[in-house]
Amino acid sequence: MLRGDSENRLVRTFRPRRRKLGPELSKVYERLKDDWSIAEHGPTLDLLEVFGNNNSVCLEIGCGRGDLAVSFGPTHLDHNLIAIDIHTRGIANILQGIESHSLENTRVVEGDVLVLLKRFADASLTEIWVFFPDPWPKPREQRRRLLRPDVVRECARVLKVGGVLRLATDIEDYWRKSVSVVAANESFDEPEFSRPDWRIETVFERRGIKEGRQPVDVSWIRQV
Ligand SMILES: C[S@@+](CC[C@H](N)C(=O)[O-])C[C@H]1O[C@@H](n2cnc3c(N)ncnc32)[C@H](O)[C@@H]1O
C-alpha cells in the first residue's frame, strides 16, 4: 500500500489545476478517451489483453504535455507505453497523437500514479520513467516528491528483474536525494548517469536550461 507519511494517508505529489481544453482538443478527447484509456482504479491489469501482444511495457509517470509519448510511440512499435498524468491537456494531446499516427502501442491514464501502480502485477513492467517531476523544493514539501521510499518500493515490485527506473531532473537536490532513496532499496543496482537517445527535450527541460539549470539523467536496474 502506498502511503508516504507517518500519518498513514496518501501524500499527493501533484498540484491540482483546472484548465479547459479548447473546442478542438475537447472533441478529440471525448471521441478517443474511452478507446485508449486505462482506468486509474480497478483489478490487476492483464497487459497482454490491454495491448494484444507480449511486447515490453513502459510507464511514463507525469507525461505533462505528452510530447515524449507522442514521439516514442511511433518510433518504438516493438514496445508498449502507458502514459499517465493528472491533467487532461497532455492526455488529450496523446490521444490526438494516437489517432494521427494510428498507434496501437500507446495507452493513457488520467489519474494519480500512486493509485494506478496498485493495478500492475508483480514484475510486469520493463521501464518506469519519471522525467522532470514536480520539484517540491521546500523542505516541508519534499515528502510530496515522487521518488520517495514507498513509491520506489512499489516501482521495484512492478518492474521485471532487469527492468529500469529512470529519472531526469534539473534540480540537483532532487537527483541526489533520489540516489539515496533508491540506494536504500536493495532491489536496485548502482545508479547510471546517461541520457537515453529517445528522451526528447520537453518544454520543462528547455525552460530549465534557459534559466541556467542542467538536466541530469539517472537510471537504476532492478537486480533482484
Ligand atoms: C513538471 S511536469 C513534467 C512533465 C513532463 N514529464 C515533461 O518533462 O515535460 C510534472 C508532471 O507530473 C505530473 N504528476 C505529478 N504527480 C503525479 C501523479 N501522482 N500521478 C500522475 N501524474 C503526476 C504533474 O501533473 C505534471 O504534469
Side-chain angles (χ1 to χ4, degrees):
M1 193 66 170
L2 284 168
R3 292 297 186 187
D5 75 355
S6 54
E7 292 152 40
N8 220 22
R9 62 192 162 79
L10 203 67
V11 175
R12 299 278 180 219
T13 60
F14 54 89
R15 291 178 196 280
R17 180 174 40 164
R18 269 191 191 283
R19 213 177 281 162
K20 280 196 174 162
L21 299 178
E24 273 313 304
L25 213 46
S26 277
K27 277 191 217 149
V28 169
Y29 176 75
E30 290 305 331
R31 190 171 72 246
L32 301 177
K33 72 174 169 17
D34 291 343
D35 287 345
W36 302 101
S37 290
I38 294 172
E40 170 198 49
H41 287 277
T44 303
L45 286 165
D46 178 342
L47 294 172
L48 173 60
E49 192 183 315
V50 170
F51 289 103
N53 63 51
N54 254 324
N55 292 344
S56 58
V57 180
C58 306
L59 171 68
E60 183 186 13
I61 301 178
C63 56
R65 295 163 50 125
D67 296 339
L68 174 60
V70 172
S71 110
F72 185 88
T75 50
H76 295 80
L77 295 175
D78 54 346
H79 287 64
N80 298 312
L81 174 62
I82 300 173
I84 178 167
D85 208 292
I86 289 295
H87 301 302
T88 316
R89 173 169 293 274
I91 298 297
N93 284 337
I94 297 172
L95 290 171
Q96 197 166 39
I98 288 175
E99 185 173 61
S100 55
H101 295 280
S102 306
L103 286 181
E104 298 284 338
N105 65 344
T106 304
R107 298 291 182 281
V108 291
V109 185
E110 188 175 351
D112 185 342
V113 76
L114 303 189
V115 178
L116 177 77
L117 277 171
K118 293 177 217 148
R119 296 202 65 190
F120 293 111
D122 294 356
S124 55
L125 298 180
T126 301
E127 298 227 356
I128 298 178
W129 311 334
V130 183
F131 293 152
F132 298 90
D134 294 314
W136 298 111
K138 295 181 186 151
R140 69 184 158 78
E141 293 175 338
Q142 286 186 8
R143 68 199 180 107
R144 298 193 177 279
R145 287 182 174 178
L146 267 165
L147 284 194
R148 61 192 200 210
D150 60 320
V151 183
V152 168
R153 205 163 38 246
E154 194 65 349
C155 289
R157 179 186 72 77
V158 302
L159 275 173
K160 293 173 192 268
V161 172
V164 189
L165 171 63
R166 296 183 188 276
L167 168 70
T169 178
D170 53 16
I171 308 293
E172 183 174 349
D173 177 72
Y174 201 119
W175 68 257
R176 286 194 186 280
K177 287 200 172 126
S178 300
V179 166
S180 306
V181 169
V182 179
N185 185 306
E186 61 188 22
S187 299
F188 289 100
D189 227 330
E190 293 296 309
E192 283 175 28
F193 292 83
S194 68
R195 177 181 185 138
D197 56 5
W198 45 260
R199 190 177 73 68
I200 59 163
E201 190 180 88
T202 62
V203 173
F204 283 94
E205 179 169 16
R206 216 162 17 252
R207 190 184 302 155
I209 291 170
K210 257 194 188 160
E211 292 170 4
R213 294 190 300 278
Q214 276 311 305
V216 171
D217 283 75
V218 196
S219 61
W220 300 266
I221 295 178
R222 180 181 166 191
Q223 57 177 348
V224 283

